Amino acid sequence: MLPTTLTALLVLLLDIFLDRGQRPQSSHFEKSLQFELRHEHAVSPDARVVFSDVPSTVSLVHGNESSYSIDTQYMTSYHPSSFSAYNDARIRSMRHAQSAILPWYETEILGPNVEKRETLLELAKMTNNAYVTPDDSQWYELGKNWSNPYPFGWEPDADGFRGHVFATPDNSTIILSIKGTSAAVWGGAGPTAKKDKLNDNLLFSCCCARIDWSWTTVCGCYRGGWKCDQDCLEQALVEDSLFYPLGTNLYNNLTYMYPTSDIWIIGHSLGGAVASLLGVTFGVPAIAFESPGERLAARRLHLPSPPSTHHVTHVYHTADPIAMGTCNGILSSCALGGFAMETKCHLGKSIVYDTVSNLSWSVDIRKHGIVSVIEEILTKTWQPSENAGREVPLAAAEEDCVECYSWEFGDFPP
């Protein structure tokens, strides 16, 4: 065993070598990072993650440098020793109903400063851009202009998991943006709508999207009345058609490409829920805009729970029935569009804009879109927060949240 003095010296040298000694241990420390679009990602028909590189030399219409700034701060996060250990704990829980002892390591990580309105605005624009290609009229330029090829995985008939990858010039920080649900019922449709609906109904319904007798369920776990077979339901959620395993595969690909980089994950709606689940899995900052409640899905997926999930932040407003968990019932706009959006409880902390009380908005499915958040909320000063000396509403955990209370879940053989 090494002498105490020598051990302390080695630890100090290791901290300096890894730059940990220079890392402030305060969430109030702030600095800005410059980001640029680096890749566009998608999933091929045979379920492989594919990347299309964005040329490092881009054509600029206005002659500006192709980057933009996001404010950051340090935050506390918990991560497992490895994804393999995390997955082993999941499998033990799923197959044997046993809770494995999984050690969690507390670290200070650099993440986006979610107390800044401009930070949320820039991240929201990134999430919007996951729905479109840079030559689309709905692309937010983020103050710059890009010249990009039309990449594999974004063809008009592509129907799966996709988005963008942004990076700082030195690759120290990577932002993974994941596309959400494309559906005409809330202001947009697209080639991915079919798979989006399947995953929405698996993740965010109480029991296989069973609304009433006229619905075709997405899994065979309904047992009559208000009974649902729990084991069947959990098995249905771990099928390969679910976006969560595709997300873990994508994240592992990114860590292979950028082994020393910090990674943040962002998304809107379904993409936000997946971003949150990946943030909990890997202990990295995640920002979800207008996401349906994903806490129930995390339990059904048997995701080991870290001591804290406060590195995950949800941003939504009270006029969005999906994020609020009120878009349910046979006559709801979600049900009329074929969606069973019944969950409402979120992981981490939530920044909630009360647009119903402060802007007199009516609850409307059309307000679920990310464009409404960008153009009508984040581009403007939020007066209630300004009056309290803040830029955005205070982030808070959703305590005592209850959902799917009418259902009975248990062992109900078919």
Side-chain angles (χ1 to χ4, degrees):
M1 192 171 185
L2 290 173
T4 303
T5 304
L6 179 57
T7 301
L9 178 61
L10 290 174
V11 170
L12 177 62
L13 291 174
L14 182 61
D15 279 344
I16 294 173
F17 178 74
L18 294 176
D19 199 31
R20 290 173 183 162
Q22 306 301 317
R23 176 165 292 189
Q25 299 296 309
S26 171
S27 62
H28 299 294
F29 174 84
E30 298 177 8
K31 70 175 182 177
S32 294
L33 293 179
Q34 301 292 119
F35 287 90
E36 59 189 22
L37 181 62
R38 188 65 55 80
H39 310 284
E40 291 165 308
H41 69 81
V43 174
S44 67
D46 59 351
R48 291 183 299 110
V49 172
V50 293
F51 292 90
S52 174
D53 293 340
V54 174
S56 56
T57 303
V58 296
S59 299
L60 302 176
V61 171
H62 302 295
N64 296 324
E65 186 182 348
S66 57
S67 63
Y68 49 95
S69 178
I70 292 180
D71 288 333
T72 65
Q73 66 178 3
Y74 282 97
M75 61 182 66
T76 300
S77 176
Y78 296 86
H79 64 88
S81 59
S82 67
F83 179 65
S84 176
Y86 185 92
N87 207 40
D88 288 345
R90 265 193 79 203
I91 292 173
R92 179 180 292 273
S93 177
M94 286 188 293
R95 294 181 180 176
H96 307 292
Q98 297 177 355
S99 297
I101 298 175
L102 182 64
W104 295 94
Y105 297 90
E106 179 180 341
T107 56
E108 289 286 312
I109 57 175
L110 188 67
N113 187 350
V114 295
E115 297 179 0
K116 297 283 189 178
R117 180 181 61 83
E118 285 292 335
T119 297
L120 297 183
L121 176 61
E122 293 298 295
L123 294 175
K125 289 178 179 179
M126 287 181 175
T127 65
N128 172 80
N129 292 349
Y131 288 90
V132 296
T133 52
D135 57 356
D136 193 290
S137 61
Q138 297 181 58
W139 174 273
Y140 280 96
E141 295 298 345
L142 302 164
K144 312 295 179 242
N145 218 328
W146 299 88
S147 175
N148 293 66
Y150 204 64
F152 176 81
W154 282 74
E155 295 85 351
D157 60 347
D159 66 346
F161 189 93
R162 71 188 193 191
H164 292 102
V165 176
F166 298 85
T168 54
D170 62 357
N171 294 334
S172 63
T173 304
I174 307 296
I175 298 180
L176 168 63
S177 175
I178 302 173
K179 187 193 74 67
T181 302
S182 298
V185 68
W186 43 76
T192 67
K194 184 176 180 180
K195 284 188 178 179
D196 293 345
K197 180 181 288 188
L198 170 65
N199 283 278
D200 277 330
N201 285 339
L202 276 172
L203 283 168
F204 312 122
S205 69
C206 292
C207 184
C208 303
R210 167 72 186 192
I211 301 299
D212 74 350
W213 62 269
S214 65
W215 276 59
T216 299
T217 57
V218 293
C219 53
C221 309
Y222 174 65
R223 297 294 183 260
W226 291 95
K227 295 182 179 180
C228 192
D229 187 272
Q230 182 72 18
D231 290 341
C232 171
L233 195 57
E234 292 172 357
Q235 184 61 37
L237 260 70
V238 298
E239 296 297 326
D240 288 340
S241 60
L242 190 66
F243 281 4
Y244 173 76
L246 293 175
T248 58
N249 189 15
L250 172 61
Y251 181 89
N252 286 326
N253 273 268
L254 275 180
T255 58
Y256 179 80
M257 296 165 62
Y258 300 100
T260 62
S261 303
D262 293 326
I263 297 178
W264 307 347
I265 311 175
I266 63 175
H268 166 256
S269 191
L270 170 61
V274 175
S276 173
L277 296 175
L278 294 178
V280 171
T281 298
F282 296 103
V284 297
I287 313 297
F289 293 91
E290 305 300 320
S291 165
E294 85 291 17
R295 188 185 300 176
L296 183 61
R299 289 204 303 266
R300 290 175 174 176
L301 287 167
H302 289 262
L303 302 190
S305 180
S308 170
T309 59
H310 288 176
H311 58 287
V312 173
T313 305
H314 286 271
V315 183
Y316 61 91
H317 61 81
T318 56
D320 180 1
I322 292 178
M324 293 294 292
T326 59
C327 197
N328 44 54
I330 189 62
L331 297 179
S332 69
S333 51
C334 287
L336 294 175
F339 289 83
M341 310 296 289
E342 299 173 303
T343 59
K344 65 177 183 178
C345 302
H346 299 89
L347 296 167
K349 289 187 174 183
S350 297
I351 296 173
V352 183
Y353 287 84
D354 190 355
T355 54
V356 172
S357 297
N358 293 292
L359 299 182
S360 300
W361 285 10
S362 299
V363 176
D364 190 336
I365 191 68
R366 291 171 294 183
K367 293 294 187 182
H368 175 67
I370 188 63
V371 174
S372 291
V373 177
I374 294 170
E375 301 291 348
E376 301 179 64
I377 298 177
L378 295 178
T379 56
K380 305 171 183 177
T381 298
W382 186 250
Q383 199 58 48
S385 294
E386 286 286 318
N387 294 341
R390 303 179 53 82
E391 293 188 25
V392 303
L394 182 67
E398 298 181 8
E399 305 288 351
D400 304 319
C401 184
V402 179
E403 55 198 349
C404 298
Y405 52 83
S406 297
W407 285 88
E408 182 180 357
F409 299 97
D411 182 15
F412 302 113

